[in-house]
Amino acid sequence: MRGLIVEYVGVLDGSDEDQRRWRQLLAAAKAHGVGTVILSNEEDPEKVQAMQALHADGVVDAVVLAKDTGLVKPDLESFQFAADVVELDRRDCVLVDSEILNVRAAVDSGLIGVYYQQFDRAVVEIMGLFGIEGEF
Protein backbone atom coordinates (compact mmCIF):
# COMPACT_ATOMS: atom_id res chain seq x y z
CA MET A 1 0.00 0.00 0.00
CA ARG A 2 1.27 3.43 -0.93
CA GLY A 3 -1.70 5.77 -0.51
CA LEU A 4 -3.78 6.80 2.48
CA ILE A 5 -7.08 8.53 1.69
CA VAL A 6 -8.88 9.87 4.75
CA GLU A 7 -12.23 11.58 5.38
CA TYR A 8 -12.08 14.71 7.50
CA VAL A 9 -15.56 14.79 9.07
CA GLY A 10 -15.96 11.99 11.58
CA VAL A 11 -12.29 10.99 11.32
CA LEU A 12 -9.74 13.82 11.38
CA ASP A 13 -11.98 16.33 13.18
CA GLY A 14 -12.15 14.49 16.50
CA SER A 15 -10.94 15.58 19.93
CA ASP A 16 -7.78 17.66 20.25
CA GLU A 17 -5.94 14.54 21.38
CA ASP A 18 -7.15 12.52 18.39
CA GLN A 19 -6.19 15.34 16.04
CA ARG A 20 -2.69 15.41 17.55
CA ARG A 21 -2.38 11.67 17.16
CA TRP A 22 -3.63 11.79 13.55
CA ARG A 23 -1.01 14.44 12.75
CA GLN A 24 1.70 12.15 14.13
CA LEU A 25 0.38 9.15 12.20
CA LEU A 26 0.09 11.11 8.95
CA ALA A 27 3.64 12.45 9.41
CA ALA A 28 4.91 8.91 9.95
CA ALA A 29 3.04 7.70 6.87
CA LYS A 30 4.50 10.49 4.74
CA ALA A 31 8.00 9.75 6.09
CA HIS A 32 7.38 6.14 5.02
CA GLY A 33 6.67 7.32 1.45
CA VAL A 34 2.88 7.11 1.66
CA GLY A 35 0.82 9.63 -0.31
CA THR A 36 -1.81 11.25 1.91
CA VAL A 37 -5.11 12.74 0.75
CA ILE A 38 -8.21 14.09 2.45
CA LEU A 39 -11.28 13.09 0.41
CA SER A 40 -14.48 14.74 1.54
CA ASN A 41 -18.03 15.55 0.46
CA GLU A 42 -18.12 18.29 3.13
CA GLU A 43 -19.13 21.81 2.09
CA ASP A 44 -19.16 23.66 5.42
CA PRO A 45 -16.75 26.60 4.95
CA GLU A 46 -15.15 26.24 8.40
CA LYS A 47 -14.47 22.54 7.89
CA VAL A 48 -13.20 23.13 4.36
CA GLN A 49 -10.84 25.76 5.75
CA ALA A 50 -9.61 23.31 8.40
CA MET A 51 -8.92 20.69 5.72
CA GLN A 52 -7.08 23.18 3.56
CA ALA A 53 -5.01 24.23 6.58
CA LEU A 54 -3.87 20.61 7.00
CA HIS A 55 -2.65 20.70 3.41
CA ALA A 56 -1.02 24.12 3.79
CA ASP A 57 0.75 22.91 6.95
CA GLY A 58 2.09 19.87 5.07
CA VAL A 59 0.13 17.38 7.15
CA VAL A 60 -1.42 15.90 3.99
CA ASP A 61 -0.32 15.98 0.37
CA ALA A 62 -3.70 17.00 -1.03
CA VAL A 63 -7.33 17.80 -0.28
CA VAL A 64 -9.98 16.59 -2.73
CA LEU A 65 -13.41 18.11 -2.22
CA ALA A 66 -16.58 16.95 -3.95
CA LYS A 67 -17.68 20.58 -4.23
CA ASP A 68 -14.63 21.25 -6.43
CA THR A 69 -14.53 18.05 -8.47
CA GLY A 70 -18.22 17.22 -8.75
CA LEU A 71 -17.29 13.66 -7.72
CA VAL A 72 -19.14 12.51 -4.62
CA LYS A 73 -18.31 9.54 -2.43
CA PRO A 74 -19.22 6.71 -2.71
CA ASP A 75 -18.76 7.00 -6.50
CA LEU A 76 -15.77 5.08 -7.86
CA GLU A 77 -14.59 8.20 -9.69
CA SER A 78 -14.08 10.04 -6.39
CA PHE A 79 -11.68 7.36 -5.14
CA GLN A 80 -9.88 7.27 -8.49
CA PHE A 81 -9.50 11.06 -8.49
CA ALA A 82 -8.01 11.04 -4.98
CA ALA A 83 -5.53 8.33 -6.00
CA ASP A 84 -4.65 10.19 -9.19
CA VAL A 85 -3.79 13.32 -7.21
CA VAL A 86 -0.93 11.45 -5.54
CA GLU A 87 -0.15 9.53 -8.75
CA LEU A 88 -1.18 6.12 -7.46
CA ASP A 89 -3.41 3.33 -8.66
CA ARG A 90 -6.51 3.25 -6.46
CA ARG A 91 -5.85 -0.44 -5.77
CA ASP A 92 -2.69 0.70 -3.98
CA CYS A 93 -4.67 2.91 -1.58
CA VAL A 94 -6.46 2.61 1.73
CA LEU A 95 -9.61 4.61 2.49
CA VAL A 96 -10.38 5.53 6.10
CA ASP A 97 -13.96 6.75 6.52
CA SER A 98 -16.61 6.89 9.24
CA GLU A 99 -19.41 6.12 6.77
CA ILE A 100 -19.70 2.37 6.18
CA LEU A 101 -21.27 2.86 2.74
CA ASN A 102 -18.17 4.77 1.62
CA VAL A 103 -15.90 2.04 2.98
CA ARG A 104 -17.94 -0.64 1.22
CA ALA A 105 -17.85 1.25 -2.08
CA ALA A 106 -14.10 1.75 -1.75
CA VAL A 107 -13.56 -1.97 -1.19
CA ASP A 108 -15.82 -2.78 -4.15
CA SER A 109 -13.66 -0.36 -6.19
CA GLY A 110 -10.43 -2.14 -5.32
CA LEU A 111 -9.19 -0.11 -2.36
CA ILE A 112 -8.68 -1.42 1.14
CA GLY A 113 -11.26 0.06 3.48
CA VAL A 114 -10.92 0.94 7.15
CA TYR A 115 -14.18 1.72 8.89
CA TYR A 116 -13.32 4.45 11.38
CA GLN A 117 -14.97 4.39 14.79
CA GLN A 118 -12.13 5.44 17.06
CA PHE A 119 -8.47 6.23 16.66
CA ASP A 120 -7.09 3.35 18.77
CA ARG A 121 -8.78 0.76 16.57
CA ALA A 122 -7.94 2.36 13.25
CA VAL A 123 -4.28 3.03 14.05
CA VAL A 124 -3.61 -0.68 14.51
CA GLU A 125 -4.99 -1.45 11.05
CA ILE A 126 -3.23 1.46 9.39
CA MET A 127 0.14 0.63 10.98
CA GLY A 128 -0.16 -2.96 9.79
CA LEU A 129 -1.21 -2.06 6.26
CA PHE A 130 1.66 0.38 5.77
CA GLY A 131 4.34 -1.24 7.95
CA ILE A 132 4.54 1.87 10.14
CA GLU A 133 5.93 1.57 13.62
CA GLY A 134 5.71 3.97 16.53
CA GLU A 135 3.54 5.30 19.29
CA PHE A 136 0.57 7.36 18.18
Side-chain angles (χ1 to χ4, degrees):
M1 296 287 101
R2 299 182 308 138
L4 180 58
I5 302 170
V6 184
E7 169 60 78
Y8 179 78
V9 177
V11 180
L12 297 179
D13 68 341
S15 69
D16 289 344
E17 178 65 12
D18 281 354
Q19 288 181 41
R20 181 191 65 75
R21 294 172 78 191
W22 266 112
R23 284 177 172 261
Q24 290 177 327
L25 179 58
L26 289 165
K30 286 180 69 171
H32 204 67
V34 174
T36 56
V37 180
I38 294 174
L39 175 63
S40 184
N41 294 342
E42 184 60 49
E43 294 184 14
D44 178 271
E46 287 182 23
K47 292 179 181 178
V48 168
Q49 184 178 20
M51 288 182 257
Q52 291 169 334
L54 290 173
H55 179 243
D57 292 345
V59 176
V60 295
D61 296 318
V63 175
V64 175
L65 300 172
K67 71 178 194 69
D68 296 333
T69 65
L71 304 171
V72 179
K73 289 183 297 178
D75 293 340
L76 162 65
E77 292 82 10
S78 66
F79 305 127
Q80 185 64 57
F81 192 95
D84 288 346
V85 167
V86 287
E87 301 177 351
L88 293 172
D89 185 293
R90 73 177 183 275
R91 290 174 297 265
D92 204 13
C93 295
V94 173
L95 174 79
V96 180
D97 202 301
S98 61
E99 295 291 328
I100 194 67
L101 293 177
N102 293 335
V103 173
R104 175 63 191 262
V107 170
D108 289 346
S109 300
L111 290 83
I112 290 179
V114 173
Y115 177 47
Y116 185 81
Q117 295 175 308
Q118 68 181 55
F119 184 84
D120 288 331
R121 290 181 183 171
V123 72
V124 172
E125 290 182 69
I126 294 166
M127 289 173 64
L129 288 166
F130 292 99
I132 298 170
E133 295 182 10
E135 295 292 322
F136 303 102

